[in-house]
Amino acid sequence: MPSLTELYDAYVDTFRGADGKLPPMMELKRIHTAHVVDNAKLIAAGEGFDAETARACEAAALLHDTGRYEQLKRYNTFRDSDSVDHAVFSHDIVVEKGWLDGDPQREAILTAVLVHNRRDVPDGLDPLTEAAVHAVRDADKLDIFRVLEDQIATTDWRHNCEAFWNLPTQAAPNPAVVEAIRAGRPVDYQNIKTLADFVLIQVGWMRSGLRYATSRRLCAERGHLAFRRNFLHELTEDPVVDELCDFQISACVGV
Ligand SMILES: [Fe+2]
């Protein structure tokens, strides 16, 4: 019986070209997934989850973006609003492939895949599902922090801001975004008007979007907040940057 990782890897292999390589955008998702799995393992260990719960977190992390490959192949975009909700797509592919058939943690893992990108997590989840859901959401955010830093380091973002939705780079944040972050509310994506808004969303996640203390510790250790504060100073002189970035991640509470 092949392991979940073997099933997943064999599926990803079907998207490889004759040269054995994945298209570059798919390769980024494959690497992202590996990091999300590693983050989920660190969270499970740090939070002292039992072996079953840790396994559900890891499995959900592995499968959370399964649909990204088919999404890109079919629609040539990762923008859900222009194609499909990639979490629903991932969930449906995992069900259709039968990878979790007979798995005692099937429902918890599938739910975590399904809701990983939702603004709000449904109420009333059982403890196993709740742990898998929040571990994947935290693990995903932690890797999105890495991806942003990687994109800034490797793209000519001042002249070609394609990686950031072609947003204006030298511009102050939208007051609506600032207000949401101050209030600890999720940012409405329609309000993202500048690159500073895009970066501030992640500051908002650090302030009030990470569930587990282990996730907040990893975020602090990796210097993600300091990076954003410095980078925001390159984009705008608005003093609100310091106001919003002036906090200790370790002092934040879980959501
Ligand atoms: Fe995702």
Side-chain angles (χ1 to χ4, degrees):
M1 191 58 184
S3 69
L4 210 46
T5 305
E6 286 165 344
L7 292 167
Y8 181 85
D9 288 347
Y11 171 72
V12 172
D13 283 346
T14 65
F15 294 89
R16 293 184 189 274
D19 59 358
K21 289 188 178 161
L22 285 173
M25 300 286 280
M26 290 191 194
E27 179 65 11
L28 290 179
K29 288 297 172 194
R30 194 187 67 75
I31 293 167
H32 163 68
T33 297
H35 282 284
V36 176
V37 169
D38 287 344
N39 288 335
K41 284 187 199 172
L42 290 170
I43 293 166
E47 296 298 311
F49 291 165
D50 61 49
E52 279 193 355
T53 308
R55 189 258 166 189
C57 294
E58 193 184 324
L62 176 70
L63 302 178
H64 84 286
D65 269 353
T66 302
R68 285 302 201 182
Y69 308 92
E70 187 65 28
Q71 180 186 32
L72 191 75
K73 186 177 167 185
R74 260 192 226 179
Y75 304 101
N76 199 30
T77 182
F78 288 140
R79 269 200 165 196
D80 288 10
S81 53
D82 294 338
S83 53
V84 285
D85 179 327
H86 78 273
V88 174
F89 209 42
S90 299
H91 167 278
D92 293 352
I93 290 170
V94 173
V95 169
E96 184 210 304
K97 298 282 175 196
W99 292 341
L100 295 170
D101 289 356
D103 189 315
Q105 298 171 326
R106 182 177 187 274
E107 292 313 312
I109 297 166
L110 284 176
T111 301
V113 172
L114 187 63
V115 305
H116 86 264
N117 64 340
R118 292 211 187 150
R119 216 186 81 163
D120 302 304
V121 172
D123 291 329
L125 299 175
D126 63 87
L128 177 71
T129 306
E130 194 173 38
V133 165
H134 287 289
V136 169
R137 288 166 67 93
D138 277 12
D140 197 18
K141 288 187 178 92
L142 283 167
D143 196 57
I144 293 169
F145 298 153
R146 178 195 62 83
V147 168
L148 176 86
E149 292 170 23
D150 194 57
Q151 284 171 326
I152 289 166
T154 58
T155 65
D156 184 15
W157 57 268
R158 278 183 201 279
H159 302 107
N160 179 0
C161 205
E162 211 178 315
F164 307 110
W165 310 353
N166 290 316
L167 295 164
T169 55
Q170 304 294 311
N174 180 357
V177 170
V178 171
E179 209 28 66
I181 293 171
R182 271 196 193 120
R185 277 189 276 111
V187 174
D188 197 334
Y189 277 49
Q190 284 145 260
N191 286 328
I192 302 174
K193 307 286 188 207
T194 70
L195 182 55
D197 296 335
F198 192 96
V199 175
L200 280 170
I201 285 187
Q202 298 190 354
V203 174
W205 291 351
M206 293 177 199
R207 291 167 63 107
S208 54
L210 294 172
R211 168 78 161 204
Y212 293 116
T214 305
S215 312
R216 297 191 290 275
R217 176 174 57 75
L218 291 168
C219 182
E221 284 172 4
R222 294 172 182 177
H224 293 312
L225 177 60
F227 181 97
R228 276 144 194 78
R229 188 179 195 148
N230 290 335
F231 183 62
L232 284 161
H233 282 303
E234 287 191 49
L235 305 179
T236 173
E237 289 174 3
D238 194 324
V240 80
V241 165
D242 283 322
E243 180 208 315
L244 293 179
C245 292
D246 206 10
F247 67 98
Q248 292 291 321
I249 298 172
S250 57
C252 297
V253 287
V255 284

